[in-house]
Amino acid sequence: MHSDSRRGFIQTVGLAGGLAWMASATPASAATAPKMIDHSPQTLPPLPYAPDALAPVISARTVDFHYNKHHAGYFTNLAKLVAGTPWASSSLEEVILAAAAAPDKRAVFNNAAQAWNHNLYWQSLSPTPSTPSPALASAITRDFGTQAALEADLTKAAVGQFGSGWAWLVLSDGKLKVAATSNAGNPMLEGDVPLLVIDVWEHAYYLDEQNRRADYVEGVVHKLLNWGNASRRYATATA
Ligand code: MN3
């Protein structure tokens, strides 16, 4: 996706959210606009595996708190914040992009984005070992050289993120890229397509690893990343 189509994507989403601020963005045809590959409801999705499935890297206790308290809490807060507004019936993605543009909707943005980021986080992990599809593997070779180089970049971004945040593999202008965001940040705000994400908020690892974020990240990157899901997202984003 090049920059014109990215503006078109943002404009389309922005207008769907009733935003006048996007009116000056360059129009792009639907044919060239990148796909929004999710239209997520504002409801907590089921955990895709048993709470103890990610142990010993991530304990059942951490998954329980993380999913049932933190992740569920963002949806609960969001529901209260958008109740009775037009955003109550919008997709999570529409709320995120619209709220990001409204300075007085910071709480809406934070809760919607945290809800979405955690949706992808659970999908980005799996107890079952997996490898990238041939198409994604080829793109990894093109953009990082080797799978090990990508994993090293992702690890560095996750360990190096100062404070709370997220480390991502994204599709950006047709290329794979590692990114980091702080707090509830999400690369979709830049027009990029998130393929997988690692949560580096302390609540993701503190019960298991205390301050040793690097141990958590190493375990996630080398034992738990769901390359099957990343491959499906890559296929959808490039179709
Ligand atoms: Mn979290």
Side-chain angles (χ1 to χ4, degrees):
M1 66 190 74
H2 54 79
S3 55
D4 282 350
S5 61
R6 288 180 14 161
R7 278 195 294 275
F9 166 75
I10 299 284
Q11 180 186 43
T12 300
V13 171
L15 293 175
L19 295 176
W21 66 277
M22 284 293 183
S24 63
T26 307
S29 73
T32 59
K35 293 177 174 61
M36 182 194 278
I37 68 172
D38 298 290
H39 298 276
S40 310
Q42 295 182 46
T43 50
L44 180 69
L47 199 63
Y49 28 71
D52 63 355
L54 305 178
V57 176
I58 305 173
S59 69
R61 186 158 178 255
T62 290
V63 172
D64 179 34
F65 274 96
H66 201 171
Y67 174 75
N68 289 305
K69 303 296 182 189
H70 293 278
H71 194 186
Y74 295 123
F75 280 104
T76 304
N77 292 338
L78 178 62
K80 289 177 187 161
L81 289 164
V82 301
T85 79
W87 285 351
S89 55
S90 301
S91 73
L92 211 45
E93 293 80 8
E94 287 168 340
V95 173
I96 290 167
L97 292 168
D104 61 335
K105 299 296 181 189
R106 204 65 205 166
V108 174
F109 171 80
N110 284 338
N111 284 284
Q114 283 294 85
W116 193 97
N117 293 359
H118 285 87
N119 284 0
L120 182 60
Y121 174 64
W122 300 121
Q123 290 173 23
S124 296
L125 307 177
S126 170
T128 309
S130 59
T131 54
S133 66
L136 180 57
S138 159
I140 289 169
T141 302
R142 180 194 65 203
D143 297 332
F144 293 94
T146 63
Q147 172 84 11
L150 160 57
E151 290 173 358
D153 280 8
L154 193 57
T155 299
K156 189 177 172 190
V159 174
Q161 168 59 36
F162 182 77
S164 297
W166 302 84
W168 309 79
L169 176 67
V170 302
L171 186 65
S172 175
D173 282 332
K175 293 191 69 175
L176 298 177
K177 196 173 78 174
V178 164
T181 60
S182 61
N183 300 320
N186 186 300
M188 77 169 76
L189 299 180
E190 313 297 325
D192 295 340
V193 178
L195 300 180
L196 62 77
V197 71
I198 302 173
D199 188 343
V200 295
W201 284 58
E202 283 187 343
H203 64 228
Y205 58 88
Y206 212 86
L207 290 175
D208 298 330
E209 310 283 0
Q210 291 75 54
N211 59 318
R212 299 184 301 276
R213 182 192 287 183
D215 291 354
Y216 156 76
V217 171
E218 287 286 339
V220 167
V221 168
H222 296 294
K223 295 178 180 163
L224 293 181
L225 286 184
N226 186 342
W227 290 104
N229 191 64
S231 299
R232 280 190 295 278
R233 294 180 65 80
Y234 180 75
T236 304
T238 55

